[in-house]
């Protein structure tokens, strides 16, 4: 890859510090990340170049990343001396680099350099955004090019669980691959706006739509809403977004969803997680629902028609929690639908436990 000179980097940083451009001449509506880049332009996080371009497919440099993060976090971008010998005060990005480094969002190298013109890799991106956003650090076990001895291992787990980034269909993350300006913008935007997080869902996902509120009702008439929010209280410094169940006269209950090519999980922060479904979906497949009791479960039907008060679904998957002899576990059946997760659960005798009644 052709290297960019320090002088070129300074000019590049100067254009980035300019006020946000109007419509970039090289960002068509058809670009995959048009909405994300436009969203960040409107927020003043990213700006275009003097020639009216945004250059979405150009590799993003470490200096550019520091500027974007600095603007996002409201840091002082005034040019100043920094602790890095290759970031002099004369470099237009020097203020943001110094401030972002002081805040712990970016870092230098052992030789005292920052390498402002070096590209940001996907692994570095994960580390930066795991520091910018509160993301629960969890291992990602099904990515074949991400190992526990990698510096970015936990951060990659965090951005994936936080719906900021996703792996590739071949079960890789490509942590050493350079990131483009559009890609980095998409990652930043996903940390701010739930609607962009839906783009990280895999095809035929059973995750819920993060822009909607799901209302459920128990057998006794009690209703509760599930919506995707920034958590408050003890979880706000750990999780950027969580689902929350809310009902009258009941404290809110937070939970998270996580889906890989192997399974769908629901997690309760600081407590446990449960496997709700395993992939590929095949009738007769057994698995453990995990959690405290590691309940035995089985996929007992696929392509079912299930009626709820909200609507009739014609492509539901039935999972049966198997009863455990000589225990209090009597078992139940729940039904999952793509884009909705669980829409209904009934006892083994068919009596309703809860069901979906509305989506807004």
């Amino acid at each position: 890859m052709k290297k960019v000179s320090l002088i070129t980097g300074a000019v590049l940083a100067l254009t980035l510090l300019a006020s946000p451009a109007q419509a970039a001449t090289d960002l068509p509506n058809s670009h995959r990340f048009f909405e994300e880049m436009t969203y960040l332009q409107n927020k003043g996080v990213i700006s275009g170049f003097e020639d009216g371009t945004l250059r979405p497919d150009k590799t993003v440099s470490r200096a550019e990343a520091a500027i974007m993060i600095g603007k996002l976090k409201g840091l002082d971008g005034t040019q100043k001396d920094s602790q890095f010998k290759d970031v002099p005060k004369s470099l237009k990005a020097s203020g943001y680099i110094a401030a972002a480094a002081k805040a712990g969002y970016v870092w230098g190298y052992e030789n005292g350099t920052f390498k402002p013109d070096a590209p940001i890799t996907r692994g570095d991106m994960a580390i930066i955004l795991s520091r910018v956003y509160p993301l629960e650090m969890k291992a990602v076990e099904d990515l074949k090019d991400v190992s526990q001895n990698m510096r970015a291992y936990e951060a990659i787990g965090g951005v994936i669980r936080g719906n900021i980034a996703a792996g590739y269909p071949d079960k890789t993350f490509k942590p050493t691959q350079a990131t483009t300006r559009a890609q980095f913008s998409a990652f930043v935007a996903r940390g701010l706006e739930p609607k962009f997080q839906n783009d990280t869902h895999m095809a035929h996902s059973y995750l819920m739509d993060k822009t909607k509120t799901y209302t459920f009702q128990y057998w006794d008439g009690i209703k509760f809403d599930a919506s995707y929010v920034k958590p408050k209280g003890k979880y706000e410094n750990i999780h950027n977004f969580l689902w929350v169940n809310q009902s009258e006269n009941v404290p809110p209950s937070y939970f998270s969803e996580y889906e890989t090519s192997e399974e769908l999980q629901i997690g309760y922060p600081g407590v446990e997680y449960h496997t709700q479904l395993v992939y590929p979906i095949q009738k007769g497949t057994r698995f453990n629902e995990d959690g405290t009791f590691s309940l035995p479960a089985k996929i007992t039907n696929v392509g079912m028609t299930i009626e709820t008060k909200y609507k009739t679904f014609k492509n539901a998957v039935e999972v049966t929690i198997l009863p455990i002899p000589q225990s209090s576990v009597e078992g139940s059946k729940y039904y999952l639908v793509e884009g909705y997760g669980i829409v209904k659960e009934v006892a083994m005798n068919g009596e309703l436990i809860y069901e979906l009644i509305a989506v807004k």
Side-chain angles (χ1 to χ4, degrees):
M1 180 182 294
K2 185 177 180 180
K3 294 184 178 180
V4 181
S5 70
L6 189 62
I7 294 177
T8 302
V11 174
L12 176 62
L14 176 61
T15 62
L16 286 170
L17 287 166
S19 58
Q22 296 180 350
T25 59
D26 60 345
L27 185 66
N29 292 2
S30 59
H31 193 284
R32 180 184 176 187
F33 298 123
F34 170 81
E35 288 191 22
E36 290 88 337
M37 296 198 80
T38 302
Y39 171 78
L40 291 185
Q41 273 191 297
N42 292 336
K43 293 183 73 67
V45 174
I46 186 172
S47 53
F49 295 83
E50 292 178 339
D51 61 0
T53 64
L54 201 55
R55 304 177 193 177
D57 300 318
K58 178 188 176 298
T59 298
V60 68
S61 70
R62 288 170 55 82
E64 290 175 288
I67 292 171
M68 288 177 65
I69 296 306
K71 290 182 176 181
L72 174 68
K73 303 299 289 186
L75 302 180
D76 182 5
T78 304
Q79 289 177 238
K80 61 175 71 73
D81 291 325
S82 74
Q83 66 267 49
F84 305 112
K85 57 187 180 184
D86 59 347
V87 181
K89 182 178 180 180
S90 58
L91 187 69
K92 291 298 182 180
S94 61
Y96 281 120
I97 291 173
K102 183 178 180 180
Y105 300 134
V106 298
W107 61 92
Y109 295 89
E110 292 181 355
N111 63 359
T113 64
F114 181 77
K115 301 181 182 178
D117 300 318
I120 287 288
T121 65
R122 283 171 57 85
D124 286 346
M125 171 278 301
I127 295 173
I128 291 172
L129 295 185
S130 70
R131 296 177 177 183
V132 170
Y133 299 120
L135 299 171
E136 182 184 27
M137 300 302 179
K138 290 292 185 180
V140 180
E141 299 176 357
D142 65 341
L143 295 176
K144 56 189 179 184
D145 61 347
V146 178
S147 61
Q148 294 188 28
N149 61 0
M150 292 176 57
R151 181 169 180 259
Y153 176 72
E154 287 192 348
I156 290 171
V159 295
I160 289 180
R161 281 190 176 263
N163 298 286
I164 286 176
Y168 290 89
D170 63 355
K171 294 188 177 182
T172 64
F173 187 78
K174 298 180 173 51
T176 60
Q177 179 174 287
T179 305
T180 67
R181 284 166 52 82
Q183 291 168 340
F184 194 83
S185 296
F187 300 141
V188 172
R190 289 169 188 166
L192 297 173
E193 177 55 55
K195 73 175 182 179
F196 298 130
Q197 295 188 23
N198 283 335
D199 294 338
T200 65
H201 297 184
M202 65 185 195
H204 307 293
S205 171
Y206 282 77
L207 295 174
M208 295 188 290
D209 185 329
K210 294 174 172 57
T211 67
K212 299 185 182 300
T213 296
Y214 297 76
T215 302
F216 297 86
Q217 185 174 43
Y218 283 106
W219 61 273
D220 58 2
I222 294 178
K223 300 177 183 179
F224 65 94
D225 294 329
S227 53
Y228 196 63
V229 301
K230 283 187 172 293
K232 298 179 180 179
K234 64 180 180 179
Y235 298 127
E236 63 183 331
N237 294 320
I238 303 173
H239 297 269
N240 195 37
F241 282 93
L242 282 174
W243 285 95
V244 61
N245 284 332
Q246 299 185 86
S247 182
E248 292 185 4
N249 303 320
V250 178
S253 172
Y254 290 104
F255 67 96
S256 63
E257 291 184 305
Y258 179 53
E259 188 177 43
T260 70
S261 60
E262 298 177 352
E263 63 183 334
L264 172 70
Q265 299 176 359
I266 182 171
Y268 301 94
V271 183
E272 60 191 22
Y273 72 91
H274 300 268
T275 299
Q276 294 184 321
L277 189 62
V278 293
Y279 305 126
I281 298 172
Q282 295 179 342
K283 183 178 178 179
T285 300
R286 290 175 176 263
F287 62 95
N288 284 331
E289 198 245 4
D290 295 319
T292 302
F293 302 105
S294 192
L295 301 175
K298 181 180 179 180
I299 299 175
T300 46
N301 218 327
V302 297
M304 294 188 67
T305 297
I306 294 297
E307 292 186 3
T308 70
K309 286 187 176 181
Y310 171 59
K311 65 181 292 186
T312 297
F313 297 95
K314 297 184 178 181
N315 58 341
V317 177
E318 179 185 74
V319 174
T320 299
I321 300 296
L322 302 172
I324 300 177
Q326 300 179 341
S327 76
S328 60
V329 179
E330 298 179 352
S332 65
K333 296 178 184 289
Y334 58 83
Y335 302 90
L336 303 105
V337 176
E338 290 182 11
Y340 291 87
I342 296 179
V343 298
K344 190 172 188 176
E345 184 172 7
V346 299
M348 292 299 282
N349 63 4
E351 292 183 356
L352 177 68
I353 297 177
Y354 70 89
E355 66 181 331
L356 182 66
I357 65 171
V359 178
K360 297 180 181 179

